[in-house]
Amino acid sequence: QSVLTQPASVSGSPGQSITISCTGTSNDIGDYDYVSWYRHHPGKGPKVIIYEVSHRPAGVSLRFSGSKSGNTASLTISGLQAEDEGDYFCASFTTRNNRYVFGTGSRVTVL
Amino acid sequence: QVQLQQSGPGLVRPSQTLSLTCSVSGASISSTVDFWGWFRQPPGKALEYVGYIHSSGNTNYSPSLESRVTISIDTSKNEFSLRLTSVTAADSAMYFCVKSRADGYSLPDSWGQGTLVTVSS
């Protein structure tokens, strides 16, 4: 099963900016702008924080931003806050056999 | 705000049928601009697509599950359901119901809370 590669953990101090990378291939991130980022709270369903590479749903903080370069998408959290601690994963449409491919997940820690 | 509430058993016997239901509030399942579907995440593995249904009744399933999966819709109850037949231990996973925009590319924008299903005798 194909997956998108993310760093297992990313950390930063309050107020700093951090960036989580998500590396795929030309079958997914490289050729399509259907990349989403989710935050997953334990016991709850994932919540979308970025869709179509860089779009924020209503209600999501302006501190979250998304971008893409080549086969890699990125999520940047600016002005890091304690409440940002948690698990984040990326996802993309893919032309490979199962329609969508998901990231391995990253744990964000606020030092 | 769209809310998806899942229900169904957490334990299924091998060779039996897994059945889950997702009740929708804050949106109409009769919407022509949305897909309603299921994803799953086996322990220690990445999420994977199971399938989608549109209010028209059109479905799309993962090629690896297509022979065993059925997703149905009940507009009178504003809910949709998943059936997976002949389950094995490999079907043990956290199952999520989702809503997506019906354009063929978009990822889910709303998720249910998840149901941990274990296949065991």
Side-chain angles (χ1 to χ4, degrees):
Chain A
Q1 182 184 6
S2 299
V3 296
L4 304 174
T5 302
Q6 298 180 230
S9 61
V10 181
S11 61
S13 300
Q16 286 186 330
S17 293
I18 61 170
T19 297
I20 306 171
S21 61
C22 171
T23 301
T25 70
S26 58
N27 293 307
D28 38 70
I29 294 175
D31 264 7
Y32 295 91
D33 287 340
Y34 290 92
V35 178
S36 291
W37 287 90
Y38 298 92
R39 181 171 179 182
H40 195 179
H41 293 276
K44 297 184 178 181
K47 176 187 173 186
V48 59
I49 51 176
I50 295 288
Y51 68 97
E52 292 177 19
V53 176
S54 59
H55 296 266
R56 263 185 315 274
V60 172
S61 171
L62 295 176
R63 299 185 298 105
F64 292 89
S65 62
S67 62
K68 186 183 88 166
S69 177
N71 294 339
T72 298
S74 299
L75 173 70
T76 298
I77 308 176
S78 304
L80 197 62
Q81 299 179 2
E83 66 196 45
D84 298 329
E85 274 203 346
D87 296 322
Y88 296 79
F89 67 91
C90 58
S92 173
F93 172 82
T94 178
T95 53
R96 302 188 78 166
N97 61 351
N98 213 28
R99 195 177 185 125
Y100 301 110
V101 62
F102 290 87
T104 48
S106 299
R107 173 68 59 90
V108 169
T109 301
V110 181
L111 302 172
Chain B
Q1 183 181 356
V2 180
Q3 290 193 327
L4 306 177
Q5 182 68 37
Q6 300 176 219
S7 59
L11 179 64
V12 183
R13 305 299 183 193
S15 79
Q16 299 299 303
T17 297
L18 180 161
S19 295
L20 297 174
T21 297
C22 186
S23 297
V24 180
S25 59
S28 172
I29 206 162
S30 298
S31 164
T32 59
V33 300
D34 295 315
F35 282 148
W36 307 94
W38 296 89
F39 286 71
R40 70 180 187 177
Q41 185 169 26
K45 296 185 178 181
L47 276 156
E48 62 179 4
Y49 168 69
V50 175
Y52 275 139
I53 189 166
H54 185 261
S55 60
S56 63
N58 289 338
T59 55
N60 178 275
Y61 299 130
S62 165
S64 64
L65 298 172
E66 190 164 16
S67 63
R68 299 191 292 126
V69 67
T70 303
I71 297 176
S72 58
I73 200 165
D74 187 335
T75 54
S76 67
K77 294 182 179 179
N78 215 41
E79 64 184 30
F80 60 101
S81 299
L82 169 70
R83 290 182 76 250
L84 184 65
T85 61
S86 305
V87 298
T88 69
D91 295 310
S92 295
M94 183 72 79
Y95 285 76
F96 295 95
C97 62
V98 302
K99 179 182 83 68
S100 302
R101 195 167 66 219
D103 58 13
Y105 300 95
S106 291
L107 285 141
D109 52 43
S110 299
W111 296 68
Q113 80 277 19
T115 301
L116 182 60
V117 176
T118 301
V119 178
S120 174
S121 55

